[in-house]
Amino acid sequence: MADYLLIESRDPFESAEVGGFLDLAEGLAKEGSGVTLFLVQNAVMTARHGARPTVPHNGRVLSLAALATNGVRVLADSFSLQERGISPNRLIAGVTVAPLSAVVDQMAAGCKALWH
Amino acid sequence: MADKKTLTFLLMDAPFENARTTTALRLIDIAARRGYDINVFAYEGAVYLPLAAQAKHANAVHGTDAAEEDHPLPREWVEAVMQEAARNGGKLDWVNCGLCVDERGATESVAGVRRGSPADFWKMASTSDNVLVIPTR
C-alpha cells in the first residue's frame, strides 16, 4: 500500500475543489494508505481555531479534525502560518505545525506527492 | 552521500503572480541544501522565471529608487538555488520548455538553464526518486 503526500495550497473559502481533495485524503486513509495532508499558503486558513469551512455553500468540505481522527496526518506550514499572523497555539485539534522541509522529507521517502 | 536523492519539480506559474512560485523555490532550496540532485522542468509561464532581462525598478508610489526598492527577482532566486545545490555537492538541471520559450520570446535565460521539451520531463521523472507537479489553477 503506497503512502501519499497531499499538498493543499488553497482554502475552501476560495476554492470549492478543496472538499474533493480532502475527501481523497480521507478515502486513501480508509483504504489503509499512510496519508499526510500538508497545508501551505492560504490552505492554513482552514486550520485556524474557529474556522468553519463546512458552511452551507461548501458543505462537502470535511473538517480537519475529522480527517485527523480518520488517520490522516495533518500538517500546517509554519512559514505560511507566520505570514498570515496565525498563532500556532490557536489551531484546530489534530493539526500539527511543521516546516516545509517535511514535504521534502516525504518526497525523499518516496511518498506519492500530489499538489492542489 | 548514501541517501542522496534526485527530485524533479514541474513548474507552470509565471513569476510575480502567485505564491506557488515562492513555495516551489523554497522546496527546491531545501533540497539543494541537502545536496540532492534536482531537476526542474519549467513549462508555460514558468519559462519566464530565469529570464535574464528581469530588472529591479524604482517605485514612484513609494518614492523609492531601484536600489531602495530592492525588488526581488526570480532569476536571482533561480541562480541562488543553482549555486546552493553546487555548494552542497548536488546539481540542479533546469530545463525550459522550448515551445513555451518560443511562444513567449523568453529566449535569454540566466546561465545554467537549458532548452528542452516535455520528453525531457519524462526522462527526469523516469530517473528520479520522486516528482512533484505544481500546476497553475
Side-chain angles (χ1 to χ4, degrees), chain A residues 8 17-27 37 61-62 64 67:
Chain A
E8 179 56 78
E17 298 169 8
V18 173
F21 201 64
L22 301 189
D23 282 345
L24 176 62
E26 184 186 49
L37 175 68
V61 176
L62 297 165
L64 296 179
L67 281 180

Side-chain angles (χ1 to χ4, degrees), chain B residues 15-86:
Chain B
F16 306 110
E17 291 188 1
N18 196 284
R20 284 187 291 270
T21 297
T22 311
T23 304
L25 285 164
R26 286 176 62 208
L27 288 168
I28 292 167
D29 180 62
I30 292 165
R33 289 172 191 273
R34 294 183 181 184
Y36 290 175
D37 289 336
I38 305 159
N39 300 311
V40 175
F41 187 77
Y43 197 61
E44 298 186 346
V47 299
Y48 280 129
L49 287 168
L51 188 71
Q54 291 171 11
K56 298 181 188 294
H57 56 74
N59 188 322
V61 175
H62 296 164
T64 53
D65 62 24
E68 291 169 325
E69 188 67 15
D70 195 20
H71 199 61
L73 298 177
R75 68 167 167 80
E76 293 180 341
W77 298 343
V78 171
E79 291 173 316
V81 290
M82 285 180 173
Q83 291 163 7
E84 190 65 38

Side-chain angles (χ1 to χ4, degrees), chain A residues 5 9 15 18 24 33 41 48 58 61 67 73 81 83-84 93 103 105-106 109 111:
Chain A
L5 169 64
S9 65
S15 170
V18 173
L24 176 62
S33 295
Q41 298 171 195
R48 289 171 299 158
N58 219 346
V61 176
L67 281 180
R73 180 177 175 229
L81 290 168
E83 278 186 314
R84 289 158 181 79
V103 169
D105 291 340
Q106 298 271 302
C111 291

